[in-house]
Amino acid sequence: MFAAAAPPPLTFNEALRLAVARSRQLPAQDQAAIAAQQMAVAAGQRPDPVLKAGIDNLPLGGRDRFNLNNDAMTMRRIGIAQELTSADKLHWRAVRQQREAGRAQAQQQAALAAIERDTAIAWLSVYYNREMVTVLATQLALAGQEIDAAEAAYRGGPGSQTALLAARAALFALEDRASQARRDLDVAVNALARWTGGPGELDGSGLPDLDNIGLDPAILETSITRRPQLAVLALQEEAAQADVRLAQANRHADWSVEVAFQQRGSAYANMLSVGLSLPLQWDRPQRQDRELAAKLALAEQAKDAREEALRDDAVATRALLIAWQSGRERGARYARQLLPVLEQRSAAALAAYRGGKATLADVLAARRGALDARLAWLQVQMDTAQRWAQLRFLFPDTPHDLEQQP
């Protein structure tokens, strides 16, 4: 038996592709849009005609009781009735469903952007948490070497028990931090597996371009008006406006027409009847006008909700942009200034210790400072990368078109 080949490490772009391919939310939104499109066609049609049949003026007493042929007024009737719904009502009913179809498509795009964003955040979290685990593993190896050196010095005479205990305490602290880092990595891998279905092994050879968010900060507020989430609210407002127009059309009643053929006994002539009917809107102020007022209020509510969401979104996006730019500056400062200085300090402390001019505590303190700074730098990078993902996927990056109807 041959063991199954392990899946290749997961690149950033492949993770996005897998997450989109595995999603069931996107096909669900496809079906919602198709359903609304079908309803739009149906809503634009007149009601079905009504077939009517019956017996008129059947005698209930006398010698012609229940006889269909002897009385001149007795007739067998068959006819058809049709409501003549106004073209305006049919139009706005169809428009209302078309807006629902558009809203489903916008929700699909919003879901696509959210899937890509959350997958990107999960992939980046795995990447940087793995880097932290690697850094701590390296430090643990060095801490083990320091304990060996401290034990040898203590057995040989010049070392002190205090230095040995300090080295052991530093090792225990590092082991605890490494355990926390492995926990964070496992959590991140689990989050990524939710989207990709894989074990979370990454190909970290190439990070995405974390310096490019795909937006011009100078026109950020203008750009975000095209976000799918805001498009959903815009289409909700348009649907509410269609409801208003339909309520206005409903203030005018629709005529119905009926044609019936009436058959009498053989001694009498058959007859044809034609009729018109019109609902009497005798209480329009309490019915049709109140329905219109309700739809107008809902349209205003939809408009206010969209404008409020636009303001909140602009503020939140601007805050993300500020945090992302600040994180880039901080990360660059760590890399150019702080980390090199602390590495030099650690190397100098180690050289001094080997030359008998510093204590092991000095080496441990210098190493701890360099480690803390490197882990802080990785945390800044991870936070900045996650904010990049939130900005980069304000809009969906992967084309996902609605399935074509047959």
Side-chain angles (χ1 to χ4, degrees):
M1 296 294 291
F2 294 97
L10 197 59
T11 65
F12 181 81
N13 289 332
E14 180 65 11
L16 297 183
R17 189 195 66 78
L18 280 175
V20 171
R22 293 183 73 249
S23 170
R24 303 315 305 157
Q25 187 177 4
L26 300 179
Q29 291 297 336
D30 279 342
Q31 298 305 315
I34 291 172
Q37 288 170 346
Q38 297 292 343
M39 285 300 299
V41 176
Q45 310 305 309
R46 283 197 172 93
D48 292 331
V50 179
L51 179 66
K52 295 187 173 183
I55 298 174
D56 296 333
N57 303 319
L58 180 67
L60 296 179
R63 60 187 180 86
D64 293 331
R65 181 183 182 187
F66 299 126
N67 191 299
L68 298 175
N69 299 311
N70 292 340
D71 194 291
M73 295 183 64
T74 301
M75 295 174 284
R76 291 175 288 270
R77 172 176 45 82
I78 186 168
I80 192 167
Q82 175 67 61
E83 179 184 295
L84 302 177
T85 310
S86 70
D88 200 31
K89 290 182 184 179
L90 296 177
H91 170 72
W92 288 110
R93 288 174 185 174
V95 168
R96 178 66 174 79
Q97 292 300 323
Q98 288 168 359
R99 297 298 178 267
E100 285 297 320
R103 189 164 71 95
Q105 289 173 321
Q107 287 175 328
Q108 181 196 75
Q109 293 302 303
L112 177 57
I115 289 168
E116 292 177 331
R117 179 199 64 216
D118 293 344
T119 304
I121 289 174
W123 192 95
L124 292 166
S125 295
V126 172
Y127 178 87
Y128 284 107
N129 276 294
R130 189 181 63 179
E131 291 294 305
M132 293 182 190
V133 168
T134 301
V135 168
L136 285 165
T138 301
Q139 292 297 320
L140 277 171
L142 290 175
Q145 296 173 8
E146 289 163 357
I147 288 179
D148 292 340
E151 288 178 342
Y154 179 62
R155 287 194 299 269
S160 68
Q161 185 179 25
T162 302
L164 177 59
L165 294 175
R168 287 176 176 172
L171 176 63
F172 297 151
L174 274 175
E175 287 175 342
D176 186 62
R177 294 183 72 174
S179 177
Q180 293 178 8
R182 287 191 296 271
R183 177 204 63 192
D184 293 342
L185 176 58
D186 289 342
V187 170
V189 167
N190 182 63
L192 181 60
R194 184 276 178 238
W195 298 110
T196 64
E201 292 298 326
L202 301 190
D203 179 358
S205 58
L207 283 168
D209 183 4
L210 300 178
D211 292 328
N212 177 24
I213 59 173
L215 290 173
D216 184 355
I219 56 171
L220 185 63
E221 282 76 6
T222 303
S223 299
I224 63 174
T225 59
R226 298 181 286 105
R227 286 192 65 198
Q229 290 86 344
L230 296 174
V232 171
L233 295 177
L235 285 161
Q236 285 178 345
E237 182 181 351
E238 291 180 14
Q241 290 294 340
D243 284 336
V244 169
R245 300 298 295 270
L246 183 58
Q248 289 172 336
N250 284 336
R251 296 179 75 249
H252 305 284
D254 293 320
W255 289 88
S256 294
V257 62
E258 180 178 352
V259 178
F261 171 76
Q262 295 159 320
Q263 184 186 49
R264 300 197 292 174
S266 58
Y268 308 103
N270 295 329
M271 295 185 176
L272 180 69
S273 297
V274 178
L276 294 173
S277 61
L278 179 69
L280 298 177
Q281 297 181 346
W282 62 274
D283 198 14
R284 181 181 290 178
Q286 299 302 320
R287 297 190 63 184
Q288 287 80 13
D289 288 354
R290 287 189 180 274
E291 178 187 356
L292 176 58
K295 298 303 182 183
L296 285 168
L298 290 174
E300 284 299 313
Q301 178 193 30
K303 177 183 176 182
D304 293 341
R306 180 184 63 81
E307 291 180 354
E308 193 71 14
L310 179 59
R311 294 173 187 174
D312 289 344
D313 207 73
V315 170
T317 305
R318 179 64 65 180
L320 275 175
L321 180 63
I322 292 170
W324 173 67
Q325 291 172 333
S326 174
R328 293 172 67 206
E329 294 172 0
R330 292 182 62 206
R333 191 180 304 116
Y334 267 90
R336 288 196 311 264
Q337 300 174 8
L338 184 59
L339 291 179
V341 169
L342 291 177
E343 291 295 341
Q344 292 171 9
R345 175 194 172 197
S346 179
L350 181 59
Y353 172 69
R354 288 171 175 169
K357 297 180 180 179
T359 64
L360 182 58
D362 295 331
V363 174
L364 295 176
R367 284 260 178 87
R368 187 165 55 250
L371 174 63
D372 290 343
R374 183 163 291 277
L375 292 176
W377 174 59
L378 288 171
Q379 185 65 51
V380 168
Q381 285 190 303
M382 182 168 68
D383 293 343
T384 304
Q386 290 175 345
R387 293 186 177 104
W388 168 86
Q390 291 176 281
L391 290 166
R392 179 65 183 80
F393 296 105
L394 289 174
F395 303 91
D397 191 56
T398 304
H400 187 81
D401 298 328
L402 189 67
E403 292 179 1
Q404 296 296 317
Q405 298 181 50

